[in-house]
Amino acid sequence: MPAGSTNTPSSIPDITLPPFYTLLNTIPDSETYVRLRYASGLTPHSLTAATIGLPKSIHAVQIQHDPSQTIVGMGRIVGDGALFFLVVDIAVDPAHQKKGLGKAIMSDITKWIAREAPEGAYASLVADGEAKRLYRIFGWREVVEHGSVGMYWHKKAVKKDQE
């Protein structure tokens, strides 16, 4: 959690999934990962990159729609496992949004960090648009409140015709 946070697993809201959905603490397979990122409007990644990166997840959660046996939501934690944790890939298929699935994903992820991260560990995430309202429910705060500004560096993909 962010510096100064006093969240404990018991202080993080429990979210009950609606009927016909199951939360799984498993890493998504590469195809599911690529599909959900695309469907939810996140920046796409290649199957090759997903195959390399996904096994390095510290913790992951997926939500399965039971009648179809389809994974319709996901989220992951990456980092060094002791000092820094980065929450990434919070995604819900648009056909299953507005049902509390994103809240269930964030509840699980935030509780995992509160329970497993050593004292003094720092967890962060990037909130796109109004997603910050979701993250605030679980105790996440904007870094600007501590005089910081989030920054990024992105290695852009080379298009096949430019190789």
Side-chain angles (χ1 to χ4, degrees):
M1 299 301 302
S5 174
T6 58
N7 284 335
T8 62
S10 63
S11 71
I12 298 162
D14 284 321
I15 303 298
T16 302
L17 285 171
F20 310 114
Y21 291 94
T22 302
L23 189 138
L24 309 169
N25 286 125
T26 56
I27 298 170
D29 63 50
S30 298
E31 292 80 11
T32 298
Y33 175 83
V34 169
R35 175 182 57 79
L36 277 176
R37 283 190 63 89
Y38 179 79
S40 64
L42 297 177
T43 304
H45 289 301
S46 71
L47 277 173
T48 301
T51 300
I52 294 167
L54 289 172
K56 298 175 182 175
S57 302
I58 295 171
H59 177 71
V61 60
Q62 299 182 83
I63 296 187
Q64 177 180 277
H65 178 246
D66 297 328
S68 66
Q69 297 292 294
T70 303
I71 300 299
V72 298
M74 68 177 180
R76 298 188 308 131
I77 304 169
V78 298
D80 61 22
L83 301 169
F84 296 96
F85 298 83
L86 179 63
V87 175
V88 295
D89 302 325
I90 306 302
V92 175
D93 185 304
H96 298 269
Q97 290 178 1
K98 306 294 183 201
K99 297 178 181 183
L101 305 184
K103 288 178 182 175
I105 292 167
M106 282 307 299
S107 177
D108 179 88
I109 283 177
T110 306
K111 284 180 181 224
W112 188 93
I113 294 169
R115 183 179 62 248
E116 301 295 334
E119 190 173 317
Y122 188 85
S124 60
L125 57 76
V126 174
D128 293 328
E130 290 303 307
K132 64 185 175 186
R133 294 185 343 189
L134 166 66
Y135 305 138
R136 283 184 185 141
I137 294 168
F138 301 97
W140 295 83
R141 299 290 173 253
E142 294 182 35
V143 295
V144 72
E145 293 175 13
H146 297 283
S148 299
V149 174
M151 300 181 75
Y152 75 97
W153 182 89
H154 179 229
K155 183 174 181 179
K156 296 188 186 231
V158 176
K159 293 183 180 177
K160 296 290 182 193
D161 61 340
Q162 294 178 344
E163 292 184 54

